[in-house]
Amino acid sequence: MSTALRRTIFLVLLLIAWEAGYRIFDWGWKFPSVSQTLQAFYDGIVHGELLQAAGASMLRLLISFALSLVIGTTLGFLFARYRWLDDTLGFLVVSLQTIPSIAWLPFAIIWFGLNETSVIFITTLGATWTMALASRTGIKNIPPIYLRAAQTMGTGNGFNLFLQVMIPASFPHLINGVRTAWAFAWRALVAGELIAKGAGLGQLLQDGRNLGDTSLMLCIVIIIAVLGTVSDHFCFKKLEDKVLERYGLAGSKS
């Protein structure tokens, strides 16, 4: 039995159990049935609310995620190359990672107001520290012989060494950092949108709470889960497989 078939059977059984639980235990408005959730999906798509909210959230997420990748990878490289920086700023980054990014939202509102910038700021924070530590670990674990061999062949100590040797050699750690940073960015984004103004999945989730519309709320949760799973499987997983194959770290798929 293929993986796709097993997953399909599991989802069908899950839907049956969900609908049966709704009818048997009489959840009422506290948790929607399958049919109510499908109706909420249909209404949201036809009226454009879900598509508009998902588009706005994805735009904020992509901007924040790109910023976090650039900032985090750069910080990780600096921490790995300079001991004094790792012992000072690197220690601070470890401390900052333990702080939920939503804790910075009051500061962001004071600094930027209830707008896009605040949401992008805390979303970027949510992913940057994870990316910095992942890239730092990946670069520190590169065997020194790789770097010496590359320098012998003329890469030097600068950008060429970083791009041609360090990034590929540390890729297994980097891709794990990217995946974790993506998940953290989603959490920070939705948390920020719950409070900040403007269209977005978080704001739509808040609207559903205010109206007591649990079917709409569940739709948002499902959309976030689907977007996260699809992006990880078709983007990050594919990228990981190709890069590992390109650098001989995994066998080619038949």
PDB file of all heavy atoms in Angstrom, residues 131 170-180 235-237 239-240 244:
ATOM      1  N   MET A 131      17.212  30.653  12.765  1.00  0.00           N
ATOM      2  CA  MET A 131      18.065  30.542  11.589  1.00  0.00           C
ATOM      3  C   MET A 131      19.516  30.851  11.927  1.00  0.00           C
ATOM      4  O   MET A 131      20.440  30.207  11.410  1.00  0.00           O
ATOM      5  CB  MET A 131      17.545  31.497  10.505  1.00  0.00           C
ATOM      6  CG  MET A 131      18.072  31.195   9.120  1.00  0.00           C
ATOM      7  SD  MET A 131      17.517  29.592   8.546  1.00  0.00           S
ATOM      8  CE  MET A 131      19.013  28.999   7.746  1.00  0.00           C
ATOM      9  N   SER A 170      27.304  22.940   5.114  1.00  0.00           N
ATOM     10  CA  SER A 170      26.437  23.074   6.289  1.00  0.00           C
ATOM     11  C   SER A 170      24.963  22.924   5.946  1.00  0.00           C
ATOM     12  O   SER A 170      24.101  23.182   6.795  1.00  0.00           O
ATOM     13  CB  SER A 170      26.663  24.440   6.943  1.00  0.00           C
ATOM     14  OG  SER A 170      26.331  25.492   6.045  1.00  0.00           O
ATOM     15  N   PHE A 171      24.667  22.510   4.717  1.00  0.00           N
ATOM     16  CA  PHE A 171      23.271  22.513   4.262  1.00  0.00           C
ATOM     17  C   PHE A 171      22.340  21.648   5.105  1.00  0.00           C
ATOM     18  O   PHE A 171      21.201  22.049   5.354  1.00  0.00           O
ATOM     19  CB  PHE A 171      23.180  22.089   2.800  1.00  0.00           C
ATOM     20  CG  PHE A 171      21.810  22.267   2.228  1.00  0.00           C
ATOM     21  CD1 PHE A 171      21.362  23.513   1.813  1.00  0.00           C
ATOM     22  CD2 PHE A 171      20.928  21.194   2.133  1.00  0.00           C
ATOM     23  CE1 PHE A 171      20.093  23.687   1.313  1.00  0.00           C
ATOM     24  CE2 PHE A 171      19.652  21.354   1.636  1.00  0.00           C
ATOM     25  CZ  PHE A 171      19.236  22.610   1.216  1.00  0.00           C
ATOM     26  N   PRO A 172      22.735  20.436   5.545  1.00  0.00           N
ATOM     27  CA  PRO A 172      21.794  19.649   6.383  1.00  0.00           C
ATOM     28  C   PRO A 172      21.316  20.419   7.605  1.00  0.00           C
ATOM     29  O   PRO A 172      20.141  20.364   7.966  1.00  0.00           O
ATOM     30  CB  PRO A 172      22.633  18.424   6.767  1.00  0.00           C
ATOM     31  CG  PRO A 172      23.592  18.270   5.641  1.00  0.00           C
ATOM     32  CD  PRO A 172      23.950  19.666   5.233  1.00  0.00           C
ATOM     33  N   HIS A 173      22.209  21.158   8.259  1.00  0.00           N
ATOM     34  CA  HIS A 173      21.793  21.977   9.398  1.00  0.00           C
ATOM     35  C   HIS A 173      20.965  23.170   8.939  1.00  0.00           C
ATOM     36  O   HIS A 173      19.990  23.560   9.594  1.00  0.00           O
ATOM     37  CB  HIS A 173      23.017  22.468  10.170  1.00  0.00           C
ATOM     38  CG  HIS A 173      23.710  21.402  10.947  1.00  0.00           C
ATOM     39  ND1 HIS A 173      23.274  20.971  12.184  1.00  0.00           N
ATOM     40  CD2 HIS A 173      24.806  20.657  10.663  1.00  0.00           C
ATOM     41  CE1 HIS A 173      24.078  20.028  12.636  1.00  0.00           C
ATOM     42  NE2 HIS A 173      25.013  19.814  11.738  1.00  0.00           N
ATOM     43  N   LEU A 174      21.355  23.759   7.816  1.00  0.00           N
ATOM     44  CA  LEU A 174      20.645  24.935   7.324  1.00  0.00           C
ATOM     45  C   LEU A 174      19.204  24.609   6.963  1.00  0.00           C
ATOM     46  O   LEU A 174      18.290  25.378   7.265  1.00  0.00           O
ATOM     47  CB  LEU A 174      21.366  25.511   6.100  1.00  0.00           C
ATOM     48  CG  LEU A 174      22.684  26.237   6.356  1.00  0.00           C
ATOM     49  CD1 LEU A 174      23.295  26.711   5.039  1.00  0.00           C
ATOM     50  CD2 LEU A 174      22.478  27.418   7.292  1.00  0.00           C
ATOM     51  N   ILE A 175      18.974  23.475   6.298  1.00  0.00           N
ATOM     52  CA  ILE A 175      17.609  23.161   5.871  1.00  0.00           C
ATOM     53  C   ILE A 175      16.732  22.855   7.073  1.00  0.00           C
ATOM     54  O   ILE A 175      15.539  23.198   7.090  1.00  0.00           O
ATOM     55  CB  ILE A 175      17.592  21.981   4.866  1.00  0.00           C
ATOM     56  CG1 ILE A 175      16.218  21.893   4.177  1.00  0.00           C
ATOM     57  CG2 ILE A 175      17.950  20.670   5.519  1.00  0.00           C
ATOM     58  CD1 ILE A 175      15.853  23.083   3.358  1.00  0.00           C
ATOM     59  N   ASN A 176      17.300  22.250   8.110  1.00  0.00           N
ATOM     60  CA  ASN A 176      16.526  22.054   9.343  1.00  0.00           C
ATOM     61  C   ASN A 176      16.191  23.393   9.980  1.00  0.00           C
ATOM     62  O   ASN A 176      15.087  23.597  10.497  1.00  0.00           O
ATOM     63  CB  ASN A 176      17.314  21.187  10.322  1.00  0.00           C
ATOM     64  CG  ASN A 176      17.337  19.731   9.937  1.00  0.00           C
ATOM     65  OD1 ASN A 176      16.413  19.248   9.294  1.00  0.00           O
ATOM     66  ND2 ASN A 176      18.394  19.027  10.299  1.00  0.00           N
ATOM     67  N   GLY A 177      17.152  24.314   9.933  1.00  0.00           N
ATOM     68  CA  GLY A 177      16.890  25.648  10.450  1.00  0.00           C
ATOM     69  C   GLY A 177      15.831  26.371   9.646  1.00  0.00           C
ATOM     70  O   GLY A 177      14.977  27.067  10.210  1.00  0.00           O
ATOM     71  N   VAL A 178      15.867  26.212   8.332  1.00  0.00           N
ATOM     72  CA  VAL A 178      14.876  26.850   7.466  1.00  0.00           C
ATOM     73  C   VAL A 178      13.476  26.323   7.782  1.00  0.00           C
ATOM     74  O   VAL A 178      12.517  27.096   7.891  1.00  0.00           O
ATOM     75  CB  VAL A 178      15.224  26.612   5.985  1.00  0.00           C
ATOM     76  CG1 VAL A 178      14.057  26.986   5.081  1.00  0.00           C
ATOM     77  CG2 VAL A 178      16.456  27.425   5.599  1.00  0.00           C
ATOM     78  N   ARG A 179      13.363  25.026   7.934  1.00  0.00           N
ATOM     79  CA  ARG A 179      12.056  24.436   8.232  1.00  0.00           C
ATOM     80  C   ARG A 179      11.524  24.913   9.575  1.00  0.00           C
ATOM     81  O   ARG A 179      10.347  25.254   9.712  1.00  0.00           O
ATOM     82  CB  ARG A 179      12.164  22.909   8.216  1.00  0.00           C
ATOM     83  CG  ARG A 179      12.272  22.297   6.828  1.00  0.00           C
ATOM     84  CD  ARG A 179      12.452  20.804   6.938  1.00  0.00           C
ATOM     85  NE  ARG A 179      12.081  20.140   5.693  1.00  0.00           N
ATOM     86  CZ  ARG A 179      12.138  18.825   5.512  1.00  0.00           C
ATOM     87  NH1 ARG A 179      12.548  18.045   6.497  1.00  0.00           N
ATOM     88  NH2 ARG A 179      11.782  18.289   4.351  1.00  0.00           N
ATOM     89  N   THR A 180      12.391  24.916  10.583  1.00  0.00           N
ATOM     90  CA  THR A 180      11.969  25.373  11.904  1.00  0.00           C
ATOM     91  C   THR A 180      11.634  26.861  11.888  1.00  0.00           C
ATOM     92  O   THR A 180      10.645  27.297  12.493  1.00  0.00           O
ATOM     93  CB  THR A 180      13.064  25.095  12.938  1.00  0.00           C
ATOM     94  OG1 THR A 180      13.425  23.715  12.899  1.00  0.00           O
ATOM     95  CG2 THR A 180      12.582  25.437  14.340  1.00  0.00           C
ATOM     96  N   CYS A 235       8.420  22.439  -1.334  1.00  0.00           N
ATOM     97  CA  CYS A 235       9.465  23.454  -1.467  1.00  0.00           C
ATOM     98  C   CYS A 235      10.727  23.022  -0.714  1.00  0.00           C
ATOM     99  O   CYS A 235      11.744  22.692  -1.337  1.00  0.00           O
ATOM    100  CB  CYS A 235       8.968  24.804  -0.956  1.00  0.00           C
ATOM    101  SG  CYS A 235      10.182  26.132  -1.121  1.00  0.00           S
ATOM    102  N   PHE A 236      10.659  22.995   0.604  1.00  0.00           N
ATOM    103  CA  PHE A 236      11.848  22.716   1.395  1.00  0.00           C
ATOM    104  C   PHE A 236      12.336  21.270   1.237  1.00  0.00           C
ATOM    105  O   PHE A 236      13.541  21.023   1.140  1.00  0.00           O
ATOM    106  CB  PHE A 236      11.581  23.016   2.868  1.00  0.00           C
ATOM    107  CG  PHE A 236      11.129  24.423   3.112  1.00  0.00           C
ATOM    108  CD1 PHE A 236      10.044  24.709   3.926  1.00  0.00           C
ATOM    109  CD2 PHE A 236      11.779  25.493   2.508  1.00  0.00           C
ATOM    110  CE1 PHE A 236       9.629  26.013   4.147  1.00  0.00           C
ATOM    111  CE2 PHE A 236      11.372  26.798   2.719  1.00  0.00           C
ATOM    112  CZ  PHE A 236      10.294  27.052   3.537  1.00  0.00           C
ATOM    113  N   LYS A 237      11.405  20.310   1.204  1.00  0.00           N
ATOM    114  CA  LYS A 237      11.806  18.907   1.056  1.00  0.00           C
ATOM    115  C   LYS A 237      12.416  18.666  -0.314  1.00  0.00           C
ATOM    116  O   LYS A 237      13.439  17.974  -0.443  1.00  0.00           O
ATOM    117  CB  LYS A 237      10.581  18.009   1.258  1.00  0.00           C
ATOM    118  CG  LYS A 237      10.887  16.512   1.213  1.00  0.00           C
ATOM    119  CD  LYS A 237      11.769  16.124   2.384  1.00  0.00           C
ATOM    120  CE  LYS A 237      11.843  14.613   2.546  1.00  0.00           C
ATOM    121  NZ  LYS A 237      12.399  13.926   1.384  1.00  0.00           N
ATOM    122  N   LEU A 239      13.869  20.919  -2.212  1.00  0.00           N
ATOM    123  CA  LEU A 239      15.156  21.610  -2.226  1.00  0.00           C
ATOM    124  C   LEU A 239      16.212  20.797  -1.498  1.00  0.00           C
ATOM    125  O   LEU A 239      17.360  20.669  -1.975  1.00  0.00           O
ATOM    126  CB  LEU A 239      15.006  22.984  -1.570  1.00  0.00           C
ATOM    127  CG  LEU A 239      16.285  23.816  -1.422  1.00  0.00           C
ATOM    128  CD1 LEU A 239      16.869  24.143  -2.789  1.00  0.00           C
ATOM    129  CD2 LEU A 239      16.006  25.094  -0.640  1.00  0.00           C
ATOM    130  N   GLU A 240      15.844  20.237  -0.364  1.00  0.00           N
ATOM    131  CA  GLU A 240      16.782  19.424   0.400  1.00  0.00           C
ATOM    132  C   GLU A 240      17.256  18.223  -0.413  1.00  0.00           C
ATOM    133  O   GLU A 240      18.456  17.934  -0.498  1.00  0.00           O
ATOM    134  CB  GLU A 240      16.129  18.956   1.693  1.00  0.00           C
ATOM    135  CG  GLU A 240      17.029  18.073   2.539  1.00  0.00           C
ATOM    136  CD  GLU A 240      16.339  17.573   3.788  1.00  0.00           C
ATOM    137  OE1 GLU A 240      15.097  17.478   3.788  1.00  0.00           O
ATOM    138  OE2 GLU A 240      17.048  17.283   4.764  1.00  0.00           O
ATOM    139  N   LEU A 244      21.187  17.835  -1.561  1.00  0.00           N
ATOM    140  CA  LEU A 244      21.917  16.689  -1.028  1.00  0.00           C
ATOM    141  C   LEU A 244      22.391  15.779  -2.159  1.00  0.00           C
ATOM    142  O   LEU A 244      23.507  15.248  -2.125  1.00  0.00           O
ATOM    143  CB  LEU A 244      21.032  15.910  -0.053  1.00  0.00           C
ATOM    144  CG  LEU A 244      20.695  16.612   1.267  1.00  0.00           C
ATOM    145  CD1 LEU A 244      19.812  15.717   2.131  1.00  0.00           C
ATOM    146  CD2 LEU A 244      21.950  17.001   2.026  1.00  0.00           C
TER     147      LEU A 244
END
